[in-house]
Amino acid sequence: MKKFKCRECGYIHLGDEAPKICPVCGFDSDIFYEMEEGSVAGEIEYFEMIESLNDTDLKHLRKSFDRTCELAAVSLAMSRQAQFENETDSERIFKDISSELLNHASYYAMMLGEFLEFNTESSRGELKRKLNSELKKTEDFLENMAEYDEEYEKKITKIKDSLLKNISLL
């Protein structure tokens, strides 16, 4: 199977020939070029969202995404615990598991299509919007941290600062 990429929006089409019209940006097939096998872009695992899911399958896919993200976070937390305990091998194993689980979650995100926009620039804007929303929630949470231990407040402040940094990168 061949891969064709739209020069306008970056959409990648799998098939024997380029589509007559890009389903993302609407340009005709002249805008597509065939990607070479073995090229870096040709090796990227990319696929479109599943559009014909029934409600049950969609719910299952969303739950798979949520569970996989949760397991990745727990695995990373376990890695930090192992690091604290000077368990170097366990730290590496848990970190690798977390990375692999996040990779799986990215597949679910692509299949769902709910978290991604049609192109990188649109997705960047949407991610920035969602990060700003998370920043607001974190700031609200931080305001209520006064009754807790100062150490927890420092951790949440670190998270807030990291969100600010990530937003500035976008």
Side-chain angles (χ1 to χ4, degrees):
M1 188 171 296
K2 297 177 182 178
K3 295 180 184 180
F4 298 88
K5 186 170 184 176
C6 178
R7 294 183 203 284
E8 180 64 27
C9 69
Y11 167 76
I12 297 174
H13 174 78
L14 302 176
D16 294 327
E17 58 187 43
K20 294 185 187 312
I21 296 173
C22 179
V24 175
C25 66
F27 279 87
D28 63 29
S29 63
D30 294 341
I31 199 81
F32 281 88
Y33 67 92
E34 185 175 349
M35 297 172 68
E36 296 178 25
E37 285 299 318
S39 69
V40 173
E43 294 173 3
I44 295 172
E45 246 182 300
Y46 174 83
F47 42 89
E48 293 298 311
M49 73 179 218
I50 302 173
E51 295 186 25
S52 58
L53 283 176
N54 61 42
D55 288 344
T56 303
D57 291 338
L58 183 60
K59 189 181 288 186
H60 176 75
L61 193 54
R62 283 183 185 134
K63 284 182 179 182
S64 295
F65 175 77
D66 291 343
R67 282 191 315 264
T68 306
C69 290
E70 181 180 347
L71 287 169
V74 169
S75 298
L76 189 56
M78 292 169 74
S79 171
R80 289 181 176 167
Q81 178 66 32
Q83 181 183 23
F84 176 75
E85 296 171 355
N86 291 318
E87 294 286 336
T88 312
D89 289 340
S90 294
E91 176 191 356
R92 182 188 47 76
I93 290 167
F94 290 135
K95 204 176 272 188
D96 289 349
I97 290 169
S98 177
S99 178
E100 186 64 27
L101 287 165
L102 284 173
N103 192 37
H104 295 174
S106 75
Y107 295 153
Y108 292 133
M110 285 190 281
M111 286 183 228
L112 283 166
E114 297 172 343
F115 306 99
L116 302 170
E117 296 297 321
F118 290 118
N119 59 50
T120 301
E121 195 55 40
S122 295
S123 289
R124 182 187 314 262
E126 183 64 12
L127 179 60
K128 189 172 186 173
R129 185 187 69 73
K130 288 179 179 181
L131 285 172
N132 275 311
S133 174
E134 185 61 27
L135 176 62
K136 174 71 174 121
K137 291 174 187 172
T138 302
E139 289 171 339
D140 291 346
F141 183 59
L142 198 51
E143 286 180 23
N144 296 317
M145 291 299 295
E147 64 188 71
Y148 297 101
D149 186 281
E150 188 177 306
E151 190 63 30
Y152 292 109
E153 188 175 354
K154 286 179 186 177
K155 296 290 183 198
I156 301 301
T157 299
K158 243 177 137 174
I159 291 169
K160 176 189 149 209
D161 293 344
S162 176
L163 285 167
L164 284 167
K165 177 183 162 207
N166 288 327
I167 291 167
S168 73
L169 293 174
L170 296 172

